[in-house]
Coordinates of all heavy atoms in Angstrom, one line a residue:
W237 N -22.5 -4.4 35.6 CA -21.2 -5.1 35.9 C -20.1 -4.1 35.5 O -19.1 -3.9 36.2 CB -21.2 -6.4 35.0 CG -19.9 -7.1 35.2 CD1 -19.0 -7.1 36.1 CD2 -19.3 -8.1 34.3 NE1 -17.9 -7.9 35.9 CE2 -18.0 -8.5 34.7 CE3 -19.7 -8.5 33.0 CZ2 -17.3 -9.4 34.0 CZ3 -19.0 -9.4 32.3 CH2 -17.8 -9.9 32.8
Q260 N -15.9 -2.8 23.0 CA -15.5 -1.5 22.7 C -15.2 -0.7 24.0 O -15.9 -1.0 25.0 CB -16.5 -0.8 21.8 CG -17.8 -0.5 22.4 CD -18.8 0.1 21.4 OE1 -19.2 -0.5 20.4 NE2 -19.1 1.4 21.7
V270 N -23.6 -8.3 22.8 CA -22.4 -8.7 23.5 C -22.5 -10.2 23.4 O -23.4 -10.9 23.7 CB -22.2 -8.3 24.9 CG1 -21.0 -8.8 25.6 CG2 -22.3 -6.7 24.9
D288 N -10.4 -9.0 43.0 CA -11.7 -9.2 43.3 C -12.5 -10.2 42.5 O -12.9 -9.8 41.3 CB -12.4 -7.8 43.5 CG -13.9 -7.9 44.0 OD1 -14.4 -9.1 44.3 OD2 -14.6 -6.9 44.0
R301 N -8.9 -16.8 44.9 CA -9.0 -18.1 45.3 C -10.2 -18.4 46.2 O -10.3 -19.6 46.6 CB -7.7 -18.6 46.0 CG -6.4 -18.4 45.2 CD -5.2 -18.8 45.9 NE -5.1 -20.3 46.0 CZ -4.6 -21.1 45.1 NH1 -4.2 -20.5 44.0 NH2 -4.6 -22.4 45.3
A370 N -25.0 -20.5 42.2 CA -25.5 -21.5 43.0 C -26.2 -22.6 42.1 O -25.9 -23.8 42.3 CB -26.7 -20.9 43.9
P383 N -33.0 -28.8 37.5 CA -34.3 -28.1 37.2 C -34.5 -27.0 38.3 O -34.3 -27.2 39.5 CB -35.4 -29.2 37.2 CG -34.6 -30.5 37.2 CD -33.4 -30.2 37.7
T449 N -26.7 -21.4 30.5 CA -27.3 -22.7 30.5 C -27.2 -23.4 29.2 O -27.2 -22.8 28.2 CB -28.9 -22.5 30.9 OG1 -29.5 -23.8 30.8 CG2 -29.6 -21.6 29.8
Q470 N -34.0 -20.2 7.3 CA -34.3 -19.1 6.5 C -35.8 -19.3 5.9 O -36.5 -18.3 5.8 CB -33.4 -19.0 5.3 CG -31.9 -18.6 5.7 CD -31.0 -19.9 5.9 OE1 -31.5 -20.9 6.3 NE2 -29.7 -19.7 5.5
D509 N -27.4 -13.2 15.4 CA -26.2 -13.8 16.1 C -25.4 -14.7 15.2 O -24.3 -14.9 15.4 CB -26.8 -14.7 17.3 CG -27.5 -13.8 18.3 OD1 -27.2 -12.6 18.3 OD2 -28.3 -14.4 19.2
K543 N -29.8 -1.5 12.7 CA -31.0 -1.5 13.6 C -30.9 -2.6 14.8 O -31.3 -2.2 15.8 CB -32.2 -1.8 12.7 CG -33.5 -1.9 13.4 CD -34.6 -2.3 12.5 CE -36.0 -2.3 13.2 NZ -37.1 -2.7 12.4

Side-chain angles (χ1 to χ4, degrees):
W237 177 26
Q260 68 183 65
V270 177
D288 178 359
R301 304 180 72 85
T449 177
Q470 294 96 328
D509 293 345
K543 181 180 179 181

